[in-house]
Amino acid sequence: MRTHQPFSLARCWAMVVKEFVQMRRDRVTFGMMIGIPMIQLILFGFAINSDPKHLPAAVVLADHGSLGRTVLYGIQNSGYFNLVRLVKTESEGHDVLARGEAQFVINIPEDFSRDLLRGDRPSVLLEADATDPAATSNAIGSLRTVLTSALQHDLKGPLSFLAATNEPIDLRIHALYNPEAITQYNIVPGLMGVVLTMTMVMITGLAITRERERGTMENLLSMPTRPLEVLIGKIIPYIFVGYVQVALILAAAYFLFDVPMVGNLGLLLVVALVFIAANLAMGITFSTVAKNQLQAMQMSFFFFLPSLLLSGFMFPFRGMPEWAQALGEVFPLTHFLRIVRGILLKGNGLNDVALQLWQIALFTAVALTIGVKRYRQTLD
Amino acid sequence: MPDGLAIDVRGMTKRFGDRVAVDHVDLQVRTGEICGFLGPNGSGKTTFIRMLCGLLRADAGSGTCLGYDVITQSEAIKRQVGYMTQRFSFYEDLSIHENLDFVARMYSMANRREAVRDTLERLGLSERRNQLAGELSGGWKQRLALAACMIHDPKLLLLDEPTAGVDPKARREFWEEIHQLAGQGLTFLITTHYMDEAERCHRLAFIASGKLLTFGTVSDVVRQSHLTTWSVSGPDLHTLAEHLRGRPGIQQAVSFGSMLHVSGDNAAALEQAIAPFRNEQYDWRQVEPGLEDVFIHLMGTSRDGAPA
């Protein structure tokens, strides 16, 4: 017997074989090893675009001449803007921006065509929702050239002197909500949603699987308990933890990053409750599906990764293709990001965030229903 | 309790996929009785107990547990049953006191603090009440588990291998306590693999491959087996056992220290089979079959492809 063999190929091979057998048995881990690269490939390869185009814009068209329309055609054809609706007044335009229904409002003033022809350099006002500077900067940057080239066709013959002047139009840009384009203003409030998603889903994901794995579930079930008592009893402590996180991030946003807090913080705290509940419900549901703690962790990660990438936190939401946007709309984080940015930066009120809030609440209800249904009062 | 039966169930059946884990088991246990529940690993003991306390839904069967319908009233049964799981199932990261307190709260006990304090005192754990349950030794864990599943004054205790891995002294003390409690009117259903423990039970139920094979007192069980056992001592019993096994009439030849127990359920055939070996080399004598002989016999006859 060779007892002092420094390295045995046979023993090493035995280890390799054992690892492969275990890998094959653990379907979820195997699925994750295949699934994660697939998700990343698809999302990074197809969905994520840091130069978003076709951004929705609302138009206030007060001009009765033809040149206003020419300018709008040019804007639409540039590919950066998608003129989605016509609004009557500037204040209506502001509402559309506040609710996030459009990224821009383009104002073509009264007598635009007349003033242009006179060489009076009429103004075009572009108001942009600049909460996420990355989403708007390219579009804003392109506009000047877009305007000039749009008019080139019309400003010919006797009007060519206008085209020759440096700028026939006085383009004014108002970057609303985040005029200095400070990235932190966008990232730090968003981080609140990201941190809550990550920790809340994971921590409750482990909650029931831990009981099952340690054998304490059998004991718990042998006592006169009801599913809702157990599930809600497990959720409440983490709601508290969630609020501690919210408070920490808000404090950091205020004291370290000088993030403006325009809106009502009380409203934000109420909304945060719904969002925390959504993530806890998701975690609890994972917990009832997963066989052990590792699987629960993996499921949380599966949920977290697309949440992060598709919510608009890392990359502009509107830069993604439609299918990715539709998928993104499912995740509570997507809606919470809009709400938290809306409240802190835009000063949104309850009416402005109601639509987003509903969608989070719906998600919570669905997840919790699945969780309660899946929670077994027996060991079957 | 009607007619003094704590457990009165019939036809209890549980399937897991194609496998029948418990197959039409009837069991009657009288109030104040200690019923030993025996059978090989995987025979369905734990499954049966879990059905009794509502942890598993029975696929078929009916009856009562503490007078409540075993199928529909598991909520009420849970309140009056203490179930001690095979594996320690209290929170290892909670202290002894916190565990007991949690259980007392779960049963919504009115005199919770008192009950917890009394339990700690009875256990002699008052001084170590803040120690984490995970730090306790096996024997103490078992005592804690027993105390915790009795904190709500249950009328029936279902104990699943309560003494596995517990030293003989602690086991003896445990059984003394069980007998004392049974004297006070508590009913016990206890699974065990130890024959000495089986002999301490008032009544025994033996289950194999999900079927109840025998039920009764120790002497009932021995008698029902119709087993004849010869004990033989002498040189090289191992070789003798090899020769004996497989001979018609001999169902088992099992070593017991310096003896070999040779058993069969046909006395005449058995005597005929051992005749060639009855010489001056060996000392043969017929003995009363022990419980272990009976159970090994039962396990042998029931082994129709069951995982034993």
Side-chain angles (χ1 to χ4, degrees):
Chain A
M1 219 164 59
R2 290 178 297 168
T3 48
H4 293 292
Q5 199 177 13
F7 184 87
S8 156
L9 212 59
R11 281 198 294 262
C12 183
W13 181 245
M15 206 67 202
V16 170
V17 170
K18 185 208 73 143
E19 288 297 320
F20 266 115
V21 171
Q22 288 181 317
M23 197 190 295
R24 211 183 48 210
R25 300 272 149 78
D26 187 358
R27 293 274 165 80
V28 177
T29 301
F30 196 72
M32 185 158 138
M33 286 187 293
I34 306 298
I36 294 285
M38 290 299 287
I39 291 180
Q40 292 198 334
L41 267 176
I42 291 169
L43 294 189
F44 280 106
F46 297 113
I48 287 160
N49 176 6
S50 52
D51 183 20
K53 301 230 165 102
H54 307 292
L55 298 169
V59 174
V60 184
L61 181 62
D63 180 43
H64 297 293
S66 66
L67 288 176
R69 293 190 177 278
T70 308
V71 166
L72 289 179
Y73 281 129
I75 290 173
Q76 172 92 350
N77 287 338
S78 74
Y80 276 109
F81 301 89
N82 186 15
L83 306 182
V84 287
R85 60 196 282 184
L86 211 57
V87 293
K88 289 199 181 69
T89 62
E90 210 177 315
S91 74
E92 198 183 333
H94 285 164
D95 289 345
V96 169
L97 277 187
R99 283 197 296 273
E101 288 163 20
Q103 191 94 28
F104 302 99
V105 176
I106 299 165
N107 283 285
I108 310 281
E110 213 177 336
D111 302 330
F112 171 81
S113 302
R114 195 196 67 194
D115 292 352
L116 183 68
L117 293 176
R118 282 189 187 164
D120 281 353
R121 293 193 72 222
S123 65
V124 165
L125 175 65
L126 178 78
E127 289 172 302
D129 171 356
T131 42
D132 183 1
T136 46
S137 59
N138 283 356
I140 293 175
S142 74
L143 194 58
R144 206 170 294 275
T145 359
V146 166
L147 288 180
T148 317
S149 60
L151 290 169
Q152 250 167 12
H153 205 69
D154 286 35
L155 302 183
K156 276 184 179 159
L159 294 174
S160 57
F161 75 98
L162 283 173
T165 56
N166 236 353
E167 281 182 15
I169 296 171
D170 174 24
L171 176 63
R172 296 181 189 180
I173 290 163
H174 286 182
L176 297 182
Y177 314 126
N178 185 3
E180 292 147 275
I182 297 173
T183 316
Q184 276 88 337
Y185 287 6
N186 183 49
I187 294 292
V188 175
L191 213 51
M192 187 189 298
V194 171
V195 167
L196 286 175
T197 301
M198 188 167 67
T199 53
M200 295 291 104
V201 173
M202 197 175 289
I203 214 156
T204 45
L206 298 179
I208 287 175
T209 40
R210 188 169 52 222
E211 298 259 6
R212 211 173 290 147
E213 210 165 303
R214 294 190 184 170
T216 53
M217 198 65 190
E218 189 177 2
N219 201 346
L220 195 61
L221 290 175
S222 75
M223 296 190 257
T225 52
R226 293 184 185 282
L228 217 54
E229 291 165 359
V230 175
L231 294 184
I232 292 183
K234 277 187 174 290
I235 282 180
I236 286 175
Y238 297 115
I239 289 184
F240 173 77
V241 175
Y243 268 120
V244 172
Q245 292 180 332
V246 169
L248 269 175
I249 293 172
L250 277 179
Y254 187 78
F255 292 109
L256 294 180
F257 298 101
D258 296 317
V259 174
M261 297 193 182
V262 185
N264 184 343
L265 282 187
L267 176 64
L268 180 61
L269 292 181
V270 173
V271 172
L273 180 66
V274 181
F275 179 66
I276 290 170
N279 286 305
L280 293 178
M282 190 69 247
I284 284 283
T285 301
F286 284 154
S287 204
T288 58
V289 177
K291 289 201 175 66
N292 51 47
Q293 296 193 58
L294 180 68
Q295 283 194 4
M297 290 283 282
Q298 289 167 333
M299 287 181 186
S300 312
F301 193 67
F302 260 126
F303 178 73
F304 179 65
L305 185 69
S307 283
L308 190 68
L309 296 179
L310 295 180
S311 62
F313 174 75
M314 293 191 77
F315 310 97
F317 188 81
R318 287 184 171 125
M320 303 191 299
E322 264 172 41
W323 61 267
Q325 291 193 21
L327 202 59
E329 293 282 354
V330 175
F331 295 104
L333 181 59
T334 308
H335 303 286
F336 185 68
L337 285 182
R338 292 176 191 162
I339 293 176
V340 72
R341 288 168 179 168
I343 292 176
L344 287 184
L345 304 179
K346 301 180 181 176
N348 277 178
L350 183 59
N351 280 337
D352 298 315
V353 301
L355 179 67
Q356 309 293 338
L357 195 57
W358 259 115
Q359 295 180 69
I360 301 178
L362 182 68
F363 182 94
T364 314
V366 171
L368 202 60
T369 308
I370 296 172
V372 171
K373 285 225 157 147
R374 295 256 348 164
Y375 179 87
R376 304 260 170 76
Q377 244 181 319
T378 59
L379 293 167
D380 292 75
Chain B
M1 221 79 50
D3 46 334
L5 286 177
I7 301 174
D8 182 12
V9 293
R10 273 163 228 287
M12 296 301 280
T13 301
K14 181 72 193 175
R15 291 184 205 90
F16 294 114
D18 289 338
R19 204 169 65 82
V20 184
V22 174
D23 193 358
H24 294 90
V25 170
D26 304 345
L27 190 70
Q28 281 80 38
V29 181
R30 287 183 208 143
T31 306
E33 203 169 57
I34 301 173
C35 177
F37 203 30
L38 296 100
N41 294 328
S43 56
K45 303 188 295 290
T46 302
T47 305
F48 180 78
I49 286 184
R50 284 176 174 172
M51 280 195 286
L52 277 186
C53 59
L55 279 176
L56 287 175
R57 240 182 289 276
D59 290 316
S62 64
T64 59
C65 187
L66 297 170
Y68 296 107
D69 189 301
V70 76
I71 305 295
T72 59
Q73 293 180 295
S74 58
E75 194 83 6
I77 293 173
K78 282 179 186 179
R79 275 174 215 285
Q80 299 196 16
V81 166
Y83 170 42
M84 181 170 162
T85 54
Q86 199 166 347
R87 177 178 161 195
F88 183 73
S89 61
F90 289 89
Y91 298 95
E92 302 211 339
D93 48 356
L94 291 190
S95 72
I96 296 166
H97 176 263
E98 286 159 347
N99 265 304
L100 292 173
D101 195 59
F102 175 72
V103 176
R105 278 179 201 269
M106 275 292 170
Y107 285 102
S108 348
M109 294 180 62
N111 53 345
R112 193 184 90 238
R113 282 166 213 281
E114 259 172 58
V116 172
R117 201 182 52 226
D118 291 350
T119 303
L120 280 170
E121 264 168 35
R122 204 175 53 242
L123 274 171
L125 281 173
S126 299
E127 255 126 72
R128 294 158 71 183
R129 63 205 290 276
N130 292 324
Q131 196 178 346
L132 295 186
E135 293 170 358
L136 292 171
S137 68
W140 277 107
K141 270 187 187 165
Q142 171 254 356
R143 293 189 68 183
L144 170 63
L146 181 65
C149 73
M150 284 181 49
I151 201 166
H152 60 292
D153 283 329
K155 296 202 174 75
L156 167 67
L157 280 161
L158 307 170
L159 312 181
D160 198 357
E161 290 190 25
T163 56
V166 173
D167 69 53
K169 183 167 168 286
R171 282 211 286 144
R172 171 163 297 186
E173 286 165 4
F174 172 80
W175 276 92
E176 289 304 317
E177 199 176 346
I178 298 293
H179 270 276
Q180 199 188 330
L181 291 165
Q184 294 165 18
L186 262 80
T187 311
F188 288 87
L189 182 62
I190 306 180
T191 73
T192 180
H193 287 303
Y194 298 112
M195 289 307 133
D196 61 315
E197 293 189 348
E199 290 183 7
R200 286 166 183 256
C201 296
H202 296 128
R203 232 168 263 265
L204 297 174
F206 186 86
I207 181 174
S209 313
K211 291 193 174 72
L212 187 71
L213 296 185
T214 184
F215 180 69
T217 62
V218 174
S219 50
D220 287 344
V221 167
V222 172
R223 196 163 359 93
Q224 282 162 19
S225 71
H226 304 296
L227 206 63
T228 309
T229 299
W230 287 79
S231 165
V232 54
S233 60
D236 203 9
L237 289 174
H238 180 69
T239 318
L240 177 64
E242 293 290 306
H243 287 305
L244 289 171
R245 277 183 199 132
R247 284 181 79 90
I250 296 180
Q251 275 151 336
Q252 50 174 311
V254 185
S255 304
F256 279 83
S258 59
M259 317 263 236
L260 190 68
H261 279 197
V262 185
S263 312
D265 53 10
N266 183 333
L270 177 66
E271 205 158 348
Q272 210 181 339
I274 63 171
F277 301 94
R278 295 180 74 171
N279 50 39
E280 66 281 359
Q281 243 191 315
Y282 301 108
D283 179 17
W284 289 87
R285 59 188 67 174
Q286 193 175 349
V287 295
E288 176 83 351
L291 263 186
E292 186 149 337
D293 296 312
V294 173
F295 286 142
I296 294 173
H297 170 69
L298 285 170
M299 275 162 76
T301 51
S302 75
R303 196 170 296 161
D304 38 21

